[in-house]
């Protein structure tokens, strides 16, 4: 198996949490949200992990359980693509890179292993984890052609009405060939509705090179649910308690 590194994006403030604490250090069963993501990455085989931090990064560094991870500072939140670019020295030039968010504590090592297996078996250059949801409002949409082949991932704010009809959403999690990821990150531009450097734009850049890009779709979106407000923190906590009881 190729070397696997993980980058976890955790620079945001999490305004909707209505709290002074950075979002990713809110806890469930005594453990920070970002520690759940770190544990899933380790469980999936990541040998080295880098957290991209920004808002109150000292608090994040001091609070998390997994002190063995690396940190890079993203001073301004210019987008998910920019955030990953901040970690380019950490990535090196070989193997695979997994991208996760610090605010999705329900992701499991098992699901990430399935994503990695799918990616490796199909010899993809990048595989995005997606899921079918009832209400895709606000999420990036996965667009496929009539034969079901991956075409692109488009942000809600940039999508046409037809594209918005897709119920397959981008989870924000990926496995990339590291070399191709780094090359594509140099090419993304903030020419979109939000003026941000979008990580999903690397999928189009890589596909346009003639390389294999695909989405691995989960039928159950539970694992990819993010925590954006106190209500979602409660729902995630209930799911984690239920899972712990089932162990
Ligand atoms: C992102 C994806 C979208 C996907 C969704 C899933 C992009 C452009 N869009 O949208 O396709 O459906 O996640 O939840 O990637 N972050 C940083 N630095 C930045 C920007 C973001 O660290 O400069 C972190 C945030 O703290 C957060 C995560 O990345 O944890 C996601 O960022 P956010 O801006 O919320 O992306 P979405 O709009 O949710
Ligand atoms: Ca989000």
């Amino acid at each position: 198996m190729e070397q696997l590194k993980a980058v976890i994006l955790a620079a945001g403030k999490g305004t909707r949490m209505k709290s002074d604490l950075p979002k990713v250090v809110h806890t469930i069963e005594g453990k920070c949200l970002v520690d759940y993501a770190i544990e899933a990455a380790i469980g999936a085989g990541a040998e080295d992990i880098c957290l991209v931090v920004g808002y109150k990064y000292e608090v994040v560094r001091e609070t998390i359980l997994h002190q063995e991870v690396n940190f890079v500072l993203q001073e301004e939140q210019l987008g998910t693509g920019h955030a990953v670019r901040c970690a380019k020295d950490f990535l090196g030039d070989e193997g695979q890179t997994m991208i996760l968010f610090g605010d999705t504590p329900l992701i499991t090592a098992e699901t990430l292993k399935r994503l990695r297996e799918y990616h490796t078996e199909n010899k993809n250059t990048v595989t995005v984890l997606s899921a079918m949801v009832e209400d895709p409002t606000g999420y990036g949409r996965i667009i496929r052609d009539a034969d079901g082949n991956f075409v692109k991932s488009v942000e809600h704010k940039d999508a046409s009405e037809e594209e918005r009809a897709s119920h397959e959403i981008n989870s924000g999690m990926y496995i990339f060939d590291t070399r191709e990821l780094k090359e594509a990150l140099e090419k993304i531009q903030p020419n979109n509705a939000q003026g941000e450097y979008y990580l999903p734009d690397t999928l189009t850049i890589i596909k346009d090179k003639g390389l294999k890009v695909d989405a691995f779709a989960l039928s159950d979106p539970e694992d990819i649910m993010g925590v954006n407000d106190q209500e979602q923190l409660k729902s995630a906590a209930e799911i984690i308690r239920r899972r712990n009881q089932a162990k």
Side-chain angles (χ1 to χ4, degrees):
M1 278 253 239
E2 281 188 84
Q3 159 191 284
L4 179 69
K5 291 189 174 187
V7 176
I8 303 180
L9 307 190
K13 177 171 191 274
T15 310
R16 282 178 285 163
M17 294 300 287
K18 296 195 169 36
S19 156
D20 286 336
L21 283 179
K23 175 159 73 175
V24 297
V25 303
H26 285 80
T27 59
I28 293 178
E29 300 289 281
K31 194 155 69 186
C32 293
L33 299 184
V34 66
D35 278 312
Y36 286 93
I38 294 170
E39 284 171 14
I42 294 170
E47 294 150 42
D48 215 354
I49 296 173
C50 181
L51 287 194
V52 180
V53 291
Y55 178 73
K56 292 198 177 173
Y57 65 93
E58 305 90 343
V59 178
V60 179
R61 198 144 61 180
E62 281 160 18
T63 315
I64 64 170
L65 191 68
H66 286 276
Q67 290 290 321
E68 72 274 26
V69 301
N70 303 277
F71 293 88
V72 298
L73 180 61
Q74 184 194 27
E75 299 204 12
E76 256 187 297
Q77 272 90 74
L78 300 179
T80 50
H82 180 266
V84 176
R85 206 153 72 189
C86 290
K88 69 177 193 298
D89 292 339
F90 161 82
L91 289 177
D93 288 308
E94 280 162 50
Q96 300 172 332
T97 298
M98 188 160 71
I99 310 290
L100 302 176
F101 288 161
D103 61 359
T104 52
L106 297 172
I107 189 64
T108 62
E110 287 64 38
T111 296
L112 293 176
K113 276 188 204 159
R114 283 168 60 211
L115 171 67
R116 190 180 184 201
E117 269 164 30
Y118 182 85
H119 174 85
T120 306
E121 276 167 18
N122 289 285
K123 299 190 165 56
N124 294 339
T125 299
V126 46
T127 310
V128 52
L129 183 65
S130 67
M132 301 306 297
V133 299
E134 251 169 63
D135 180 10
T137 309
Y139 287 96
R141 305 294 208 285
I142 301 298
I143 308 302
R144 294 180 185 268
D145 66 17
D147 297 323
N149 298 310
F150 176 92
V151 176
K152 65 172 175 177
S153 174
V154 60
E155 290 308 292
H156 180 97
K157 286 183 179 147
D158 299 288
S160 66
E161 208 170 314
E162 199 188 336
E163 288 167 342
R164 284 183 185 176
S166 169
H167 283 250
E168 184 177 359
I169 62 162
N170 180 336
S171 72
M173 303 179 218
Y174 312 76
I175 306 247
F176 281 90
D177 172 85
T178 300
R179 204 181 297 265
E180 295 296 337
L181 167 63
K182 285 175 75 178
E183 193 180 306
L185 283 174
E186 296 301 321
K187 297 183 184 153
I188 54 174
Q189 295 294 333
N191 50 2
N192 50 58
Q194 303 185 83
E196 289 180 8
Y197 292 90
Y198 289 163
L199 184 59
D201 285 356
T202 60
L203 305 186
T204 306
I205 292 166
I206 291 170
K207 190 166 183 290
D208 286 349
K209 265 186 92 175
L211 297 167
K212 261 182 102 177
V213 179
D214 202 359
F216 177 67
L218 299 174
S219 50
D220 181 352
E222 185 176 274
D223 278 24
I224 64 158
M225 262 178 51
V227 170
N228 294 303
D229 55 33
Q230 296 289 343
E231 199 58 41
Q232 289 173 342
L233 181 64
K234 259 188 227 158
S235 318
E238 275 165 30
I239 292 168
I240 285 173
R241 280 194 286 271
R242 191 194 71 213
R243 286 180 181 174
N244 287 345
Q245 275 160 11
K247 268 183 200 162

